[in-house]
Amino acid sequence: MKKFSKKARLIFVSLIIFLCLLISIEQIHHYNYGHYFSYGLHIDVKSEYGYIGIPGQTQMYSGQFTNFSILPVKFVACDYVSDTLSDETDYPYGLQKWNSSANSWETIFAIESEEYCQPMPTHGGGNHIVSKWILPIESIQVVSPEATGARDTFRKGDQARFLVFRDVSSGNAWNTAIISETFVIEDDVIKDDYSPSLRIQH
């Protein structure tokens, strides 16, 4: 009986510690992003000041993935060497805009399997597709900072969201898409005064 009571107390204390930890994580997440998370795979969007020379553009938007599940999650990724000769990792993603007229999300772009991880002028080479395992409670950046508001289709006040694909093999990408939280474009970009060739990502 004493042995059972000791075991029961241990379980009770463990549950209390787990609940306190969960509440702490929820509170920290709410403080950082303004909302609570639910169980599963979660992408938050960060908006930070970053001017890259486009008139009216002041914000850079990025996507932060956190695994709020109890199992590791597998992602396809592209490892490459940047133009500064540093090792970098890129995740396949897309972008959508809310179309209020159609009352639906409109896809602005999405990575295609044949396009992913191809050499680019801003890469130093060494492009190769790899698998990344994200552990429970682990958080990684899956969308590098980009000037979303400078894209031609967006105006100040528009709603947008990122899509991150865990697999880009033919026919599987959309089945593995993880959708980010919705974010609002803060930039008031002067569309006629900048060149579309300017780099959107930083």
Side-chain angles (χ1 to χ4, degrees), residues 1-187:
M1 186 68 180
K2 287 185 177 180
K3 185 177 180 180
F4 176 79
S5 298
K6 185 177 180 180
K7 184 178 180 180
R9 286 198 298 271
L10 181 61
I11 293 174
F12 178 75
V13 171
S14 298
L15 285 174
I16 293 298
I17 293 174
F18 173 77
L19 287 174
C20 289
L21 179 62
L22 182 61
I23 291 172
S24 297
I25 294 174
E26 283 275 19
Q27 291 298 329
I28 292 172
H29 190 86
H30 186 272
Y31 177 81
N32 289 332
Y33 299 105
H35 62 264
Y36 295 106
F37 64 84
S38 58
Y39 176 85
L41 311 181
H42 190 79
I43 298 177
D44 290 294
V45 177
K46 289 184 177 181
S47 173
E48 298 178 308
Y49 176 81
Y51 179 62
I52 58 174
I54 300 174
Q57 177 273 324
T58 59
Q59 298 298 311
M60 301 293 286
Y61 302 89
S62 60
Q64 191 77 15
F65 169 79
T66 306
N67 181 7
F68 289 122
S69 73
I70 60 174
L71 298 174
V73 178
K74 183 181 179 181
F75 276 82
V76 67
C78 178
D79 281 350
Y80 65 94
V81 178
S82 72
D83 53 359
T84 59
L85 302 182
S86 60
D87 293 329
E88 302 286 350
T89 298
D90 179 58
Y91 293 86
Y93 80 103
L95 178 66
Q96 291 184 325
K97 173 187 175 182
W98 178 251
N99 186 326
S100 56
S101 299
N103 200 34
S104 64
W105 287 97
E106 172 189 351
T107 299
I108 305 305
F109 75 87
I111 292 293
E112 300 292 339
S113 58
E114 62 272 12
E115 299 174 351
Y116 185 59
C117 209
Q118 296 299 313
M120 297 178 63
T122 55
H123 291 183
N127 295 44
H128 60 283
I129 293 179
V130 297
S131 294
K132 302 282 187 180
W133 286 93
I134 314 303
L135 301 176
I137 311 300
E138 186 177 0
S139 183
I140 60 168
Q141 185 179 83
V142 287
V143 179
S144 298
E146 66 153 59
T148 310
R151 294 184 182 276
D152 188 57
T153 188
F154 285 103
R155 298 293 184 270
K156 184 176 182 179
D158 285 343
Q159 296 183 71
R161 67 184 187 182
F162 293 124
L163 306 166
V164 177
F165 304 103
R166 292 171 52 199
D167 186 3
V168 291
S169 58
S170 181
N172 287 334
W174 287 95
N175 294 329
T176 64
I178 305 172
I179 300 172
S180 78
E181 294 291 313
T182 300
F183 61 100
V184 178
I185 300 300
E186 303 172 54
D187 299 303

